[in-house]
Amino acid sequence: MNTTASLTDERTTQAVKLTIDGMEVEAGAGATVLEAARQAGIYIPTLCFDPDLKPYGACRLCVVEIEGMRGLPTSCTTPVTEGMVVHTETDAVMRSRRLTMELIMANHHGDCLTCNKNQNCELQQVARYLDIDQEHFDRLRKGTQVLPIDRSHPAFERDLNKCILCGRCVRACHEIAGVGAIGLAFRGYDARVATCGDKPILESICESCGECLAHCPTGALTPRNEKQATREVKTICPYCGVGCSLYLGLRGNEIVSVRGDHDSPVNHGGLCVKGRFGFDFVNHPERLTKPMIRNKERGKDIKVNGNFREIFREASWDEALELVASRLAKIKQKHGADSIGVLSSAKFTNEENYLVQKFARAVIGTNNVDHCARLCHASTVVGAIAAFGDGAMSNSISDFAKADLLFIIGSNTTDCHPIIGRVVRQGVKTGGTKLIVADPRRIELSEMADIHLTHRPGSDVALLNAMMNVIIDEGLHDARFVEERTEGFEELAETVSKYSPEMAEEITGVPRDDIVAAARLFAGADRAAILYGMGITQHTTGTDNVKSVANLLMLTGNMGREGTGFSPLRGQNNVQGACDMGALPNVYPGYQKVDNPDVKLKFEQA
Ligand code: SF4
Ligand code: SF4
Ligand code: SF4
C-alpha cells in the first residue's frame, strides 16, 4: 500500500555522501535532498510535501541552493548525488521562500483563533519560521473573496477560504484512498479544490474515508466534532477484521479525535469511514451503561391497560449478577448443564474470550459455547484445518501488494474491508496486478477486474472445480509443488474431471469461455492469492467452498511464497482470537478437540 515506504526501504541499500549546510550527511541512493536533510535533523519548510504521498514540488517553499546547479531547485523532488553540496538558508533561498509564503497567505483567511487547526497548523509553523508578519502580506491581498463553506457532509467541513492549494487532499484521495472524488479546478483567483461539477462533497463519489482531512496542513478540511484532546491512547479499530491501528484522542473519558497509526504495518496511518468517524456511539447519551432487568410477573411482561409498562428497569451490578447466577444455578439443577448455552463475541479481547469459554466449561459444565464464527468463518476453520492443518490466513495484507494476480470470491472487499480494498484497487490501478472477481453481483472491484465471473449463488464449488479441471487438463498446474508438498492429487483430479467447463456453465450460469479464461489467467500468474469472505462461507457448502479455494491454491503452487496465499477476510476485529481461545463448542483453546479423551483429561486436571 505504501509505495513510498517500500521505495525508501530499497533506497537505503546504497549510501550516498553529500554536504548540507556544511554538515556531512549520508543518505540512501534515490533519496531526495529533503529526505536527506530531515534525516540529518535539518529543517526545510514545506507545505505540499507529505511523506505518504508522491513528491509534488508545487508550493516551492522547500527550495535550496545546490552548488553547480542553476536556480533554486525544490528539495522534495531533487534526488541526492554523491558529493552534492547543498545550502538551505542562503539569502536568495530565504527571499524566495518569504515571497512564496506571502503570496500563499494573502489568499488565506486568517481567523486563526477560531480555527480548529490553531496551534496545530503547518501554515502557522512555516509562517513563524519565515518570520512573516501581517504587514508583509497585507499589501498583496486582492480583496478577499468569501467562498461558501461546504457543510453537506455529516462528519467533516470544507472551508476553502482556508485552502492554500497545496494539493495534498487531492493526492491523498487519488493515491491513498484510490477514489478521485476531488481535483484542482478553475484558474487564477478562482482556482480551488472541487468535486466533479463543483457539487457539495456529499453529492460526489466521496467515500467519506477522511484521508483528505488527515493530510490537509491547514484548517480547510476539518472533522465536525473534533476537539483538542488532552491525551491519546493507542488501540485497534473495533469494526472489521482488517485490524487497523489508531490513536483515540481523549478528554477525560470522552473520545474527541481519531488518527490512524502510521507505524501500523496493516494500515500505515490510513483509516476508512468507520474507523475514522464511527466512534460517537461510545459517548452517546442513549448508550446503556447500567444493567437492566426485565420487569416480569410470573414469567410474563407486565401490562397496564393493555400496554407494556416499563419493560426494563435499571439495576445495580450486584443485583443483576446475583439474579443471573441464581437463575443459571436453578436451570442447571433442573435441566442439566447442557441446557445452557453461552455466546461469546468476536469483538471481545482474547482474554475475555478465554474467560467466557472457561466460564461455560469449568463453571457451568458445558461445551455449549460459541460466537459469530459459527455463521461467518467456522467453515474456514474446518476447511483450512483439513487442508493445511491451520485455521488462519496463510499470508499477510502486505502480500496482496506483491501478488501478480488476486482472485476475489464472495467478498465485496472495498465495502467490507476497505483498507484491504484500497490495496487491491491500488495494485490493479498502478501496480499492474491482474484481478479476477467471482461474485453474482456487480461490485466496485468487478468494474476494474480483468474477468468478472457472475456465478449463481451457491455454485462456487462447481466454478472452482471447473477451473481446476481446465488447469489439470491443460497441464497448467504446478506439478513439482503438488508432488513435493501435497497429497491426494489423484483423488482431486478424478473429482474435478467431472466438472467440464460446459457442465459448470449449466450449474453456474458463467459462460464456459470465461471459466477457461479465468483458469488460464490464474494458473499463468507467478504469484497469486485468493481473497474470500462471507459470500462463500455462509452456505451449507461453506466448508467445501473453503476446501476448493485451498485446492486451487495448492494445485497451482500458490502457497508459502511472498505474494501468494490463502486469505479468508474475517468479519469482526477479533474473530481469529475468539476461535484461537476456544470460544467454540468442539475445541478447547488452541483447537484442542473436546472429543479427544487425553485432551479432556488434561483440561480436567488443570
Ligand atoms: S473523504 Fe476520502 S474519498 Fe472523500 S474526498 Fe476525502 S479522501 Fe476522497
Ligand atoms: S484543502 Fe487542504 S489539503 Fe486540500 S489543497 Fe487546500 S490546503 Fe491543501
Ligand atoms: S478497514 Fe476495518 S479495521 Fe480498518 S478502519 Fe475500516 S473498519 Fe476499521
Side-chain angles (χ1 to χ4, degrees):
M1 190 188 116
N2 192 334
T3 46
T4 315
S6 56
L7 273 179
T8 312
D9 294 345
E10 280 161 27
R11 287 167 186 169
T12 44
T13 49
Q14 260 184 323
V16 167
K17 281 192 180 143
L18 67 157
T19 308
I20 306 180
D21 295 341
M23 189 193 290
E24 273 221 353
V25 171
E26 216 173 78
T32 63
V33 171
L34 179 67
E35 285 169 329
R38 286 196 168 181
Q39 217 174 312
I42 297 167
Y43 176 72
I44 295 178
T46 59
L47 282 172
C48 74
F49 174 78
D50 188 314
D52 294 340
L53 303 169
K54 289 184 196 137
Y56 195 49
C59 74
R60 296 204 55 80
L61 285 164
C62 71
V63 291
V64 289
E65 263 187 44
I66 297 176
E67 286 183 16
M69 218 178 258
R70 287 177 57 187
L72 300 175
T74 46
S75 61
C76 71
T77 55
T78 308
V80 292
T81 54
E82 186 65 37
M84 184 182 251
V85 180
V86 182
H87 303 281
T88 71
E89 286 199 332
T90 63
D91 287 347
V93 164
M94 295 307 274
R95 224 177 11 252
S96 164
R97 286 178 183 164
R98 276 201 195 94
L99 180 62
T100 306
M101 192 62 182
E102 284 168 6
L103 287 166
I104 291 172
M105 293 184 71
N107 279 335
H108 179 81
H109 288 213
D111 50 351
C112 292
L113 284 180
T114 53
C115 176
N116 79 4
K117 257 296 179 55
N118 194 19
Q119 312 269 333
N120 199 10
C121 166
E122 291 178 42
L123 189 67
Q124 283 180 340
Q125 284 158 12
V126 177
R128 268 202 305 272
Y129 163 75
L130 290 176
D131 205 14
I132 303 281
D133 64 37
Q134 196 78 23
E135 242 179 75
H136 280 110
F137 64 85
D138 264 355
R139 65 193 158 89
L140 295 168
R141 280 206 193 273
K142 271 242 176 192
T144 321
Q145 62 167 327
V146 180
L147 295 166
I149 299 173
D150 181 355
R151 294 198 169 100
S152 62
H153 200 283
F156 61 89
E157 284 184 2
R158 295 169 72 233
D159 181 356
L160 295 186
N161 300 299
K162 293 176 185 163
C163 172
I164 53 165
L165 294 175
C166 67
R168 275 158 70 168
C169 57
V170 174
R171 290 180 287 141
C173 189
H174 285 254
E175 292 175 30
I176 298 174
V179 178
I182 45 177
L184 288 168
F186 308 105
R187 287 175 168 242
Y189 276 106
D190 291 327
R192 60 179 175 273
V193 176
T195 61
C196 180
D198 204 17
K199 290 189 179 138
I201 191 81
L202 204 61
E203 290 172 34
S204 73
I205 58 165
C206 168
E207 291 184 356
S208 310
C209 66
E211 287 305 338
C212 51
L213 281 68
H215 291 85
C216 178
T218 71
L221 295 171
T222 48
R224 289 195 103 157
N225 299 320
E226 187 171 286
K227 293 185 209 154
Q228 187 70 42
T230 50
R231 67 191 166 98
E232 278 191 325
V233 289
K234 187 174 167 178
T235 186
I236 301 284
C237 173
Y239 288 101
C240 83
V242 177
C244 296
S245 179
L246 48 85
Y247 286 91
L248 295 176
L250 300 176
R251 252 197 212 179
N253 251 347
E254 192 189 351
I255 296 171
V256 292
S257 64
V258 180
R259 70 179 173 93
D261 174 11
H262 266 86
D263 296 329
S264 162
V266 173
N267 53 314
H268 303 277
L271 292 172
C272 79
V273 57
K274 293 176 274 185
R276 197 178 304 278
F277 299 118
F279 286 90
D280 40 355
F281 71 92
V282 177
N283 299 110
H284 198 280
E286 285 178 16
R287 183 177 164 195
L288 297 180
T289 55
K290 290 185 180 145
M292 306 285 279
I293 295 179
R294 200 170 183 113
N295 288 312
K296 290 204 174 213
E297 252 170 25
R298 287 190 218 97
K300 295 213 167 120
D301 290 333
I302 299 167
K303 282 187 184 176
V304 173
N305 298 332
N307 294 321
F308 286 111
R309 213 168 68 194
E310 292 262 300
I311 294 183
F312 290 98
R313 68 175 168 84
E314 263 185 21
S316 69
W317 281 104
D318 281 350
E319 186 192 1
L321 289 172
E322 183 69 35
L323 182 68
V324 171
S326 64
R327 285 209 185 153
L328 282 174
K330 265 191 219 157
I331 292 168
K332 183 176 167 180
Q333 199 181 24
K334 199 166 166 196
H335 303 290
D338 281 341
S339 67
I340 297 170
V342 180
L343 281 179
S344 195
S345 170
K347 289 202 182 289
F348 284 177
T349 60
N350 284 354
E351 290 80 359
E352 288 160 342
N353 273 298
Y354 181 82
L355 280 176
V356 171
Q357 67 82 35
K358 188 160 183 179
F359 173 76
R361 292 183 164 120
V363 179
I364 304 281
T366 180
N367 281 311
N368 289 345
V369 56
D370 216 335
H371 69 284
C372 66
R374 173 68 35 229
L375 176 68
C376 66
H377 272 289
S379 43
T380 290
V381 175
V382 177
I385 286 179
F388 308 121
D390 182 66
M393 195 164 158
S394 77
N395 47 7
S396 66
I397 293 169
S398 58
D399 275 299
F400 303 151
K402 294 170 189 154
D404 300 322
L405 183 142
L406 296 171
F407 180 12
I408 299 183
I409 180 164
S411 157
N412 188 353
T413 319
T414 50
D415 271 19
C416 299
H417 299 88
I419 294 294
I420 291 179
R422 272 184 198 175
V423 182
V424 176
R425 201 152 51 186
Q426 283 162 352
V428 175
K429 277 188 179 172
T430 57
T433 312
K434 299 275 181 224
L435 179 65
I436 302 172
V437 171
D439 201 305
R441 300 160 305 169
R442 194 181 285 270
I443 58 172
E444 187 190 338
L445 288 179
S446 62
E447 299 294 314
M448 57 182 76
D450 294 271
I451 300 176
H452 179 201
L453 306 166
T454 49
H455 60 311
R456 293 191 183 106
S459 64
D460 310 279
V461 169
L463 179 72
L464 294 165
N465 278 358
M467 284 176 67
M468 287 189 269
N469 173 318
V470 174
I471 290 168
I472 295 172
D473 205 38
E474 298 189 2
L476 302 175
H477 60 288
D478 186 336
R480 190 165 161 202
F481 183 92
V482 168
E483 171 66 26
E484 290 176 1
R485 310 279 294 277
T486 70
E487 47 195 41
F489 172 70
E490 299 306 331
E491 290 95 314
L492 175 83
E494 197 191 322
T495 302
V496 301
S497 68
K498 295 169 201 145
Y499 290 82
S500 67
E502 291 75 18
M503 177 210 187
E505 176 175 338
E506 270 182 39
I507 300 173
T508 64
V510 177
R512 57 119 18 229
D513 288 353
D514 288 358
I515 297 173
V516 173
R520 287 176 185 160
L521 191 63
F522 188 84
D526 181 33
R527 288 168 297 172
I530 304 182
L531 286 67
Y532 71 88
M534 271 73 88
I536 67 164
T537 57
Q538 293 182 354
H539 287 270
T540 50
T541 56
T543 305
D544 294 330
N545 293 345
V546 171
K547 285 181 183 167
S548 299
V549 165
N551 285 337
L552 180 55
L553 285 164
M554 288 188 280
L555 184 67
T556 50
N558 279 303
M559 286 295 292
R561 284 183 296 124
E562 212 176 43
T564 66
F566 171 79
S567 318
L569 304 180
R570 316 306 288 261
Q572 306 291 341
N573 52 349
N574 195 29
V575 71
Q576 189 67 52
C579 292
D580 293 350
M581 293 301 115
L584 293 167
N586 56 331
V587 287
Y588 296 118
Y591 303 102
Q592 301 175 74
K593 295 211 160 113
V594 295
D595 56 5
N596 180 332
D598 295 339
V599 172
K600 195 173 168 216
L601 185 67
K602 182 175 76 176
F603 275 92
E604 272 170 7
Q605 284 172 347

